[in-house]
Amino acid sequence: MAAEPPPSSLAYRTTGSTCLHPLSELLGIPLDQVNFVACQLFALFAAFWFRIYLSPGKSSSDVRHAFATIFGIYFVIFCFGWYSVHLFVLVLLCYGIMVTASVSNIHRYSFFVAMGYLTICHISRIYIFHYGILTTDFSGPLMIVTQKITTLAFQVHDGLGRRPEDLSAEQHRLAVKMKPSFLEYLSYLLNFMSVIAGPCNNFKDYIAFIEGRHTHMKLLEVNWKQKGFHGLPEPSPTGAVIHKLCITLLSLLLFLTLTKTFPVTCLADDWFVHKANFLTRLCYLYVVMQASKPKYYFAWTLADAVHNAAGFGFSGVDKNGNFCWDLLSNLNIWNIETATSFKMYLENWNIQTATWLKCVCYERVPQYPTVLTFILSALWHGVYPGYYFTFLTGVLVRFAARAVSFLW
């Protein structure tokens, strides 16, 4: 009978590179998580270099697209090894749809192929390959790419297959009036800034960033002559990046501290399951779930900082005249922690996914938009039964909140 592997071998549970395994053992952190953080930190430095040395004034758009794509592909292979093939297969399949399908059906075909492939991967990695643990695996980037593929397909359909008068103001602004080239398509989906942790963004915003029009488009919305400026200012993302990195560091420290103090493994202990009373189990479960949130604060804020470091994410000027770099922000931590309603919580958690759901489902379906949007959200997240229980009960909570607000 073979001996059981030592606990430290669990750090090898990754399909990507194992070159950082010594660091994983030294820190006591699973190797897949070490690879993820290493890629994101490298992406941060690459983003600064990209903004300074490959700026639109020094390099052509094709060079910027190629650099962003090559580094993105390398990061995916480094983190996920041969499993990254799933990502590339989906991208190539959907580009084939992009160039061959009619504009009247391009959004439908892209949506069903992307969501179908993602669902098959969710099922296979959990129930066929027994990869059921919650870990950093290839499904994360696949989920982000699915969002981008479907977003772009709907925006191309809006730009080429619908009349302008039938579009909402936001749909008209984001409509894509020309199918992207293969390089643009790859760069949008696989660029090093978002391929690992997202977030989803709009194709027109990304192309404007690559071509050097991103900040100017936002600045032109402000009357600078009234503010005493004779030309457009040049906003720097450095302050925003430093601020977000501080939040990232604090979130990481909180996560490491809280998860060691309140380990999730206690939920499966025999004493906890069979002997602890209901109130104890409920309170501890709540604390454990709260302790896990800084992990998402860390990953999403770091991803936001990477985009800002590259010069992407400028959203304009606030009422106090300050430059804002929150176009791609995925959460508002203060509003999450002080939320007074389910609606307020959802609006500030995973913001870009909520925007995607609104773009491809809520604004498009003729009936039951809230129900279908929650079902799509559950399907996109995976095939764990808990997702469906959570999102379907979320529908009821949302309807109840609306009824209460109507009464008031």
Side-chain angles (χ1 to χ4, degrees):
M1 188 174 183
E4 291 187 4
S8 62
S9 67
L10 291 175
Y12 267 119
R13 192 174 178 88
T14 180
T15 55
S17 172
T18 58
C19 67
L20 296 179
H21 180 251
L23 180 61
S24 170
E25 285 196 321
L26 178 65
L27 298 175
I29 299 174
L31 181 55
D32 59 328
Q33 296 178 19
V34 172
N35 285 348
F36 170 84
V37 174
C39 280
Q40 286 297 84
L41 291 178
F42 189 84
L44 181 66
F45 291 107
F48 277 114
W49 189 90
F50 186 74
R51 179 168 60 89
I52 295 170
Y53 295 103
L54 284 183
S55 63
K58 297 178 181 178
S59 304
S60 67
S61 296
D62 286 346
V63 171
R64 284 166 60 82
H65 278 305
F67 179 90
T69 305
I70 291 170
F71 267 71
I73 291 173
Y74 174 76
F75 286 169
V76 172
I77 295 173
F78 182 87
C79 283
F80 309 110
W82 73 270
Y83 272 102
S84 57
V85 169
H86 288 293
L87 204 65
F88 307 142
V89 167
L90 179 58
V91 169
L92 293 176
L93 276 175
C94 289
Y95 186 71
I97 294 172
M98 177 65 65
V99 297
T100 59
S102 64
V103 292
S104 59
N105 290 311
I106 195 170
H107 58 307
R108 296 189 183 95
Y109 296 158
S110 296
F111 179 85
F112 285 112
V113 168
M115 284 301 303
Y117 195 93
L118 175 64
T119 302
I120 291 170
C121 287
H122 277 317
I123 294 171
S124 64
R125 75 182 183 89
I126 295 172
Y127 295 113
I128 297 177
F129 297 107
H130 305 293
Y131 198 51
I133 60 171
L134 290 173
T135 185
T136 309
D137 69 287
F138 74 98
S139 66
L142 199 63
M143 292 164 72
I144 299 299
V145 164
T146 297
Q147 287 187 347
K148 289 187 173 184
I149 286 171
T150 52
T151 296
L152 176 56
F154 274 94
Q155 291 172 351
V156 169
H157 172 66
D158 289 341
L160 299 176
R162 297 177 66 190
R163 296 179 302 176
E165 56 267 26
D166 294 334
L167 304 176
S168 67
E170 185 70 1
Q171 289 171 348
H172 187 269
R173 182 182 74 84
L174 297 174
V176 177
K177 300 185 181 299
M178 182 181 297
K179 291 185 178 181
S181 67
F182 185 56
L183 181 59
E184 289 174 335
Y185 195 79
L186 290 181
S187 178
Y188 172 62
L189 297 179
L190 301 176
N191 68 82
F192 73 93
M193 295 169 288
S194 64
V195 71
I196 299 296
C200 179
N201 52 70
N202 294 302
F203 181 76
K204 288 184 75 171
D205 288 333
Y206 180 74
I207 294 300
F209 154 69
I210 290 292
E211 295 177 353
R213 299 180 286 107
H214 173 58
T215 55
H216 286 179
M217 286 170 53
K218 303 295 181 181
L219 291 171
L220 288 173
E221 299 173 2
V222 180
N223 189 337
W224 292 100
K225 289 185 177 181
Q226 289 184 354
K227 297 180 178 292
F229 288 85
H230 298 289
L232 293 179
E234 290 292 336
S236 171
T238 304
V241 172
I242 292 173
H243 173 72
K244 290 172 183 178
L245 289 179
C246 290
I247 295 174
T248 296
L249 181 59
L250 180 60
S251 298
L252 180 61
L253 293 175
L254 276 173
F255 173 69
L256 295 176
T257 302
L258 293 174
T259 51
K260 287 185 178 180
T261 306
F262 304 100
V264 69
T265 52
C266 288
L267 297 176
D269 287 349
D270 287 339
W271 177 89
F272 185 85
V273 174
H274 300 294
K275 296 182 180 179
N277 61 57
F278 175 76
L279 187 59
T280 300
R281 284 182 289 162
L282 183 64
C283 291
Y284 190 79
L285 179 61
Y286 176 79
V287 171
V288 167
M289 293 300 101
Q290 294 301 310
S292 68
K293 287 197 297 186
K295 173 177 65 175
Y296 297 97
Y297 296 168
F298 166 80
W300 289 340
T301 307
L302 180 57
D304 194 9
V306 170
H307 283 83
N308 292 169
F312 190 20
F314 183 70
S315 59
V317 182
D318 65 16
K319 59 183 179 181
N320 298 319
N322 300 316
F323 296 127
C324 297
W325 289 85
D326 58 0
L327 180 70
L328 305 177
S329 295
N330 223 355
L331 75 171
N332 186 317
I333 297 175
W334 177 256
N335 287 347
I336 290 170
E337 298 298 336
T338 60
T340 56
S341 67
F342 187 63
K343 180 177 182 293
M344 181 178 177
Y345 191 96
L346 289 180
E347 288 177 347
N348 291 280
W349 174 269
N350 209 351
I351 296 170
Q352 302 308 324
T353 293
T355 302
W356 169 70
L357 289 167
K358 179 182 177 183
C359 170
V360 304
C361 185
Y362 189 84
E363 294 181 336
R364 312 276 179 174
V365 295
Q367 292 181 314
Y368 311 114
T370 300
V371 175
L372 292 175
T373 299
F374 273 94
I375 291 174
L376 175 59
S377 182
L379 185 66
W380 175 80
H381 276 87
V383 291
Y384 289 106
Y387 287 137
Y388 295 89
F389 178 81
T390 300
F391 287 105
L392 290 177
T393 53
V395 175
L396 301 178
V397 173
R398 193 68 178 263
F399 284 152
R402 286 180 183 175
V404 171
S405 62
F406 177 77
L407 291 173
W408 282 96

